[in-house]
Amino acid sequence: MSRTPAPPVILGNEPGSFPRSVLAERHPAIIRQVRDAFPYGPEAHRALDALADSCAEGVIEPLPDDAHDRDRWRDWGLDAYVGRSWFDVPWLWSESYFYRRLLDAVGYFGPGPWAGIDPFRPFKLAELDAAETDEELTALDSLADRRVEERGRALLHGSLWGNRADLGFRLSDGEAEGRAAVPGLVADDSEALWSLLTVAPAPAHGDRDRERGRDGGPGREGDPGRDVGAGAGTTLCLVADNAGRELIPDLLLVAHLLGQGQCDRVVLHVKPYPYYVSDATTADVVDALRKLTGAGGAAADHGRRLWAAMADGVLTVRAHPFSAAPLPYARMPDDLRAEFAGAALTIVKGDLNYRRLVGDSRWAPTTPFADVTAYFPGPVVALRTLKSDVITGLDGATEAALVAAEGQRWRTGGTHALIQLRK
């Protein structure tokens, strides 16, 4: 359990608050975007209109009796919230349930022809195919001549700031993409992070072929005599956030850590179904790997190695149902707790996962990160750009400077970031 009692969870009913703007403005915008993205039939249009009306002025309704996950959502608190306004229940819960009901509206879970069709896929693919993505992949070539430590830092920050590539966030903040990222971090435990990821010694000569691509291509960058996955039996868990331009830098960081022997296995946790517009699913991982392998240069080299790592079981994808739960990670089930307990380190990406990691409450910003994550079963690091009010682990001087310069905008504007570690 947390060493510090949590304040009450955040609701969406405070006038002028960021959570209320998400429920009242972002969700209707998402419904309109989804409605226009596919040639859905009249039934889906009626269901989307009904969901929009429900979110704006109605109350939370139960899942259909035949919903495959009805019992699971009842375990997650559905019965307690049915009949209540979307604004009057925990914000984390109402956001999550909105996306679950959106999938119902477009037939994602049904037996019909729209079953399994990701309603957010056009937005994800457009971002993946954007010129900015190609430019970022081309820039990888310039890292080749840098020292290993410099490459690692660059890829870590790429993964961190890649979290700005959030389609749901940009729907409600049209200026987000144009604002330059502030170079400073509000918290930076990166040196302590690297101390947990030590490089393993080189393997015997006969083991070198494992690090080569299946096509017999050249070994990875740096030291061709060290095997991919040559760490001392270390597993890294990475809890992914967004697809597209965020997932690609996550995968590049994974490739680097495996390539340098800083872990010998990676478990990539993604969502079991489309969620929060751009959250990554298994299909998005495949799309990102195809983008890498088709990009040429260093990006293609990384893509081929990751593709081979998946085939060899060195990189595995996990889509646990709890990854889309409307609950904090403090309430994770035993099997997921055991997975994280067995990892040398868990990297938790993004704003939503941060809210779930520390609890979706309006903490005092100086509340120690280590205290609120004391329940987590192993070492954990958060990589996050700030897009919601929840924040912990700041020193008093940092908080005072941010408030003096920006008021409270620094919490939600996506222009600040953090790297926070609890060993």
Side-chain angles (χ1 to χ4, degrees), residues 124-138 140 243-245 247-249 251-252 283-304 306-307:
K124 295 175 179 178
L125 291 181
E127 182 181 84
L128 200 59
D129 294 336
E132 293 86 351
T133 306
D134 293 331
E135 292 169 3
E136 291 163 0
L137 293 180
T138 300
L140 276 176
R245 285 174 60 197
L247 184 58
I248 280 182
L251 290 171
L252 294 173
D284 298 318
V285 175
V286 176
D287 286 340
L289 289 177
R290 285 177 174 153
K291 179 68 176 181
L292 286 172
T293 56
D301 292 340
H302 284 301
R304 286 192 292 269
L306 288 168
W307 195 282

Side-chain angles (χ1 to χ4, degrees), residues 160-185:
L160 170 65
W161 288 107
N163 182 231
R164 294 185 73 219
D166 181 331
L167 298 172
F169 175 69
R170 293 209 302 269
L171 279 173
S172 62
D173 187 352
E175 299 178 357
E177 187 69 8
R179 286 194 299 269
V182 175
L185 304 180

Side-chain angles (χ1 to χ4, degrees), residues 300-379:
D301 292 340
H302 284 301
R304 286 192 292 269
R305 292 179 191 118
L306 288 168
W307 195 282
M310 288 193 70
D312 292 340
V314 172
L315 170 61
T316 59
V317 177
R318 183 84 158 96
H320 195 287
F322 192 77
S323 292
L327 303 172
Y329 272 101
R331 294 179 60 182
M332 74 181 85
D334 290 343
D335 62 331
L336 189 58
R337 178 176 293 275
E339 288 188 33
F340 291 144
L345 177 67
T346 297
I347 299 175
V348 174
K349 282 295 308 294
D351 196 80
L352 170 63
N353 285 326
Y354 186 88
R355 290 164 56 194
R356 298 186 67 196
L357 178 65
V358 304
D360 201 34
S361 299
R362 200 178 296 275
W363 298 97
T366 54
T367 305
F369 177 74
D371 285 0
V372 298
T373 57
Y375 72 89
F376 203 83

Side-chain angles (χ1 to χ4, degrees), residues 38 49 75 85 115 147 228 240 256 259 280 327 336 344 366 380 389 392 403:
F38 285 96
D49 291 343
D75 289 342
S85 166
R147 293 184 300 113
V228 165
H256 176 81
L327 303 172
L336 189 58
T366 54
V380 61
D389 292 305
T392 68
V403 172

